[in-house]
Amino acid sequence: MEGLEAAHASLSNVAALPAGFHDSLSVVVAFADQGQNINGILFQASLPAYILFLYFLSYRKNNTPPLVQFGFAFLLVFVILTIPSGILSKSSFGLILADCDWVHGAAESLLTCTNIMLVLGFRAALMGDTAMVDSFAVRVTSGLWLAVVVATLAAGIPIFGAGAHTPFLSGFGALPSGMVPATEPVNALSIPNWMVHFSTVFEFLIAMSLAWRYAEASGNPKWKGLTWGMLPSHASSVAALTFHVFYNSIPWILTVQAGCTFVGNATLAIATYRIAASNGWTISELNPFGGAETRDEEDSGDAAFDVTRLKTESSTTSDLIPGPLLFAEVLLLTVAASFLTKYGELILAPDLFQSASSASSIAAGLIVVTPPLLVVGTLIAQSKDIQAQLKAPAS
């Protein structure tokens, strides 16, 4: 889901142009170059799959929680806004988006907004909360969130005088420089920016677990495939975090991130196709004319979300963490992870994290693969089918 960083990072590779020519065409040339970069190509190629994913997710018989549909669709707002954000950081400061903290943090927060809606939507459906599952207030809040981000980007330079490395939200929570033994690079993420990134990862993991539960509540095991389909997108987010851990200095991580985004959008589309097909979708659905009236009459009761089709008894929802406690846990984890990452690397091995050496690449590779592998292990442990296959005697 964070593949735009991979695309925008390619802006730094633009060849130098004569000064007079550069001023007027730098942004155009930058994005032309981006289109030929493998990261940009992978990202662009992933968009059709994501559109297919949204199409299958919204199939009228799936009984998909409306706020979940809206949240996944809202991701496209993040995608679109990242483009002018990248233009702003490049044209104003000559930096890739990831190196301009206040622009980066503001744009990235829209991904946090997206994942919050996924969690709220799935939880509301599982708890039988018909008001929250299609909450107008949440949709309005997301619109206000977008408006604040746009206003921040528009007013940051002319009104607030934001510079190339002005920290997001004024770097609230940062420790005094004298408390840290090493000096971090100017492009280091601020605490608020780290919090945006980590909260996004934690929220997405929660959404994955809730999608798994939704399979049990709906009686359709194909929903578990959505959790598996979300795994490469999680890996993409981990790659983005790793890129920032090494101060945006190891380029191959972006290619891994872009590749995970490409694969992830494809697996999301496949997962929701399987859900839709299990609920009666056929290729004839693509015909806007043939049998449309008949379908509307037969399926009129399937278009809206119906909580009565879910098993929302206590056995299904009893172990759901109460909302306030879940919020507190995510906040605590986010704050702890942000401070430990930002200052822990300066204390433990600043030279390792501030270089692009072979040792740094090996360490980065371990960081990229470890969290997704842990998630795979967790999913395998929860999958009775896979457990049965693993325990079955070899023939």
Side-chain angles (χ1 to χ4, degrees), residues 81-270:
L81 193 71
T82 308
I83 296 174
S85 299
I87 293 175
L88 175 65
S89 60
K90 178 65 179 179
S91 61
S92 299
F93 308 116
L95 299 174
I96 63 171
L97 178 59
D99 284 340
C100 189
D101 195 72
W102 68 275
V103 178
H104 181 201
E108 190 77 20
S109 73
L110 291 176
L111 191 53
T112 300
C113 181
T114 290
N115 291 350
I116 288 174
M117 287 189 283
L118 300 184
V119 172
L120 290 176
F122 274 126
R123 276 181 60 87
L126 291 170
M127 298 178 70
D129 188 344
T130 55
M132 177 58 73
V133 79
D134 194 15
S135 173
F136 177 73
V138 172
R139 295 177 187 237
V140 170
T141 301
S142 68
L144 294 175
W145 192 319
L146 171 61
V148 170
V149 169
V150 172
T152 299
L153 297 177
I157 297 175
I159 296 180
F160 299 106
H165 298 294
T166 296
F168 179 53
L169 297 181
S170 300
F172 178 79
L175 298 178
S177 57
M179 293 182 63
V180 184
T183 302
E184 61 183 0
V186 294
N187 67 339
L189 266 62
S190 62
I191 286 294
N193 202 349
W194 273 122
M195 289 183 64
V196 165
H197 280 73
F198 275 113
S199 67
T200 296
V201 172
F202 294 144
E203 291 151 8
F204 196 73
L205 286 172
I206 294 171
M208 291 174 67
S209 69
L210 292 173
W212 191 277
R213 288 174 178 268
Y214 196 74
E216 299 170 351
S218 66
N220 186 348
K222 294 296 189 293
W223 277 97
K224 292 183 179 180
L226 179 61
T227 301
W228 285 105
M230 295 167 74
L231 182 61
S233 298
H234 166 64
S236 176
S237 295
V238 173
L241 285 176
T242 306
F243 184 61
H244 302 322
V245 165
F246 289 86
Y247 301 99
N248 311 333
S249 63
I250 303 181
W252 66 259
I253 300 177
L254 288 177
T255 304
V256 171
Q257 182 194 5
C260 288
T261 298
F262 177 82
V263 173
N265 286 356
T267 55
L268 286 172
I270 293 171

Side-chain angles (χ1 to χ4, degrees), residues 191-353:
I191 286 294
N193 202 349
W194 273 122
M195 289 183 64
V196 165
H197 280 73
F198 275 113
S199 67
T200 296
V201 172
F202 294 144
E203 291 151 8
F204 196 73
L205 286 172
I206 294 171
M208 291 174 67
S209 69
L210 292 173
W212 191 277
R213 288 174 178 268
Y214 196 74
E216 299 170 351
S218 66
N220 186 348
K222 294 296 189 293
W223 277 97
K224 292 183 179 180
L226 179 61
T227 301
W228 285 105
M230 295 167 74
L231 182 61
S233 298
H234 166 64
S236 176
S237 295
V238 173
L241 285 176
T242 306
F243 184 61
H244 302 322
V245 165
F246 289 86
Y247 301 99
N248 311 333
S249 63
I250 303 181
W252 66 259
I253 300 177
L254 288 177
T255 304
V256 171
Q257 182 194 5
C260 288
T261 298
F262 177 82
V263 173
N265 286 356
T267 55
L268 286 172
I270 293 171
T272 47
Y273 161 74
R274 295 176 72 243
I275 295 171
S278 71
N279 288 318
W281 184 91
T282 64
I283 196 68
S284 64
E285 298 285 343
L286 298 177
N287 185 348
F289 304 107
E293 293 182 0
T294 302
R295 288 201 305 269
D296 288 344
E297 292 177 359
E298 293 179 350
D299 304 327
S300 58
D302 296 316
F305 177 76
D306 184 2
V307 72
T308 62
R309 292 170 57 188
L310 303 177
K311 300 174 185 177
T312 57
E313 63 270 12
S314 59
S315 61
T316 305
T317 61
S318 59
D319 55 346
L320 281 177
I321 300 175
L325 180 57
L326 179 63
F327 172 80
E329 288 185 356
V330 172
L331 180 61
L332 181 60
L333 284 172
T334 296
V335 172
S338 299
F339 275 91
L340 288 174
T341 300
K342 182 174 177 65
Y343 298 112
E345 58 183 327
L346 293 176
I347 296 172
L348 295 176
D351 293 338
L352 176 69
F353 291 105

Side-chain angles (χ1 to χ4, degrees), residues 56-59 61-69 214 223 305:
F56 288 123
L57 182 71
S58 64
Y59 177 56
K61 290 187 178 182
N62 286 347
N63 206 33
T64 304
L67 197 56
V68 171
Q69 292 187 47
Y214 196 74
W223 277 97
F305 177 76

